[in-house]
Amino acid sequence: VSAVIARGTSKPVEALVEATRKVAAGDYGVQVDIRGRDELGRLGTAFNEMTEGLRKRRDIMEKTLSRDVAEELMKGMELGGENREVTIVFMDIRGFTSGTQGVDPAEVVTMLNDMMDHLTAAIARHGGNVNKYLGDGLMAMFGAPKPLEDHALRAAQAGPEMQAALAGWNERRLERGLPSFHTGIGINTGGVVCGRV
């Protein structure tokens, strides 16, 4: 009887230990199949709820942060920084306020999200990370949070690709009788303190 009870207890515990190792390695999709109304069953349910919460948080991070930034945040939150040379790209939509007057705010948000998706993709293809969205603009970094040897060249290549992406976006809008928008893009290379503040 003791051996049966021990096996009934050790198998769920072993399953939880193995699942915990997978979560520690970054697999938030793992679930355990431990049923019952006892302490082990409640522990299994709590574990599954935890991994579901971690998946949701990861999904939010992936939608709002670049993968590089998300990885840096997952390493920990020790404050501080290091001196590093990076290239920063600023983009601003020209005439956005006057061009969206009288437009339903929900439509403006949808339009901005669509436009920013195209511009962000062009930045990411060249190794940049969008650091922040500034209403109708954005700021992207090349060479941070991860070092990038040819950051200035990559940023300079991303600029024209951003303009081409916006031109294609504008063409699709004009075909539907909607106004087009234009951007100003600034690129600067210099020293920064890079880290968590």
Side-chain angles (χ1 to χ4, degrees):
V1 171
S2 325
V4 169
I5 292 172
R7 272 196 305 272
T9 303
S10 67
K11 282 191 175 190
V13 170
E14 288 171 11
L16 276 166
V17 169
E18 181 58 31
T20 302
R21 284 188 184 118
K22 290 179 180 177
V23 169
D27 179 3
Y28 303 133
V30 66
Q31 294 277 289
V32 294
D33 187 19
I34 302 173
R35 300 167 197 235
R37 295 175 182 237
D38 61 358
E39 291 83 2
L40 285 173
R42 290 196 304 273
L43 183 59
T45 299
F47 180 88
N48 291 338
E49 290 170 355
M50 176 193 71
T51 56
E52 176 66 24
L54 288 170
R55 276 194 306 279
K56 287 179 182 174
R57 284 168 180 78
R58 181 198 58 206
D59 292 345
I60 290 169
M61 283 179 62
E62 287 179 354
K63 288 178 182 164
T64 56
L65 301 171
S66 72
R67 184 172 297 276
D68 288 344
V69 173
E71 285 175 6
E72 288 295 313
L73 287 173
M74 294 298 282
K75 288 179 184 175
M77 289 303 295
E78 185 177 322
L79 298 179
E82 63 178 276
N83 290 325
R84 188 183 302 170
E85 184 176 270
V86 302
T87 301
I88 297 179
V89 173
F90 290 96
M91 183 283 306
D92 180 63
I93 302 169
R94 303 294 188 210
F96 183 77
T97 304
S98 60
T100 56
Q101 282 182 334
V103 178
D104 178 50
E107 288 180 37
V108 173
V109 169
T110 300
M111 178 192 70
L112 265 177
N113 285 337
D114 185 42
M115 178 192 294
M116 293 298 180
D117 281 347
H118 289 82
L119 297 170
T120 300
I123 290 165
R125 277 191 289 277
H126 292 279
N129 296 295
V130 173
N131 178 266
K132 61 181 75 172
Y133 293 97
L134 309 160
D136 62 346
L138 61 78
M139 182 178 105
M141 297 184 300
F142 290 76
K146 290 187 177 176
L148 191 60
E149 191 173 308
D150 52 351
H151 53 85
L153 175 62
R154 287 174 178 252
Q157 292 169 332
E161 189 171 330
M162 291 168 67
Q163 290 177 326
L166 186 64
W169 183 83
N170 274 325
E171 282 179 30
R172 291 187 294 278
R173 285 181 59 81
L174 289 171
E175 288 169 3
R176 296 182 351 236
L178 299 170
S180 62
F181 292 91
H182 302 284
T183 61
I185 297 174
I187 301 174
N188 190 59
T189 298
V192 301
V193 175
C194 179
R196 296 178 192 90
V197 294

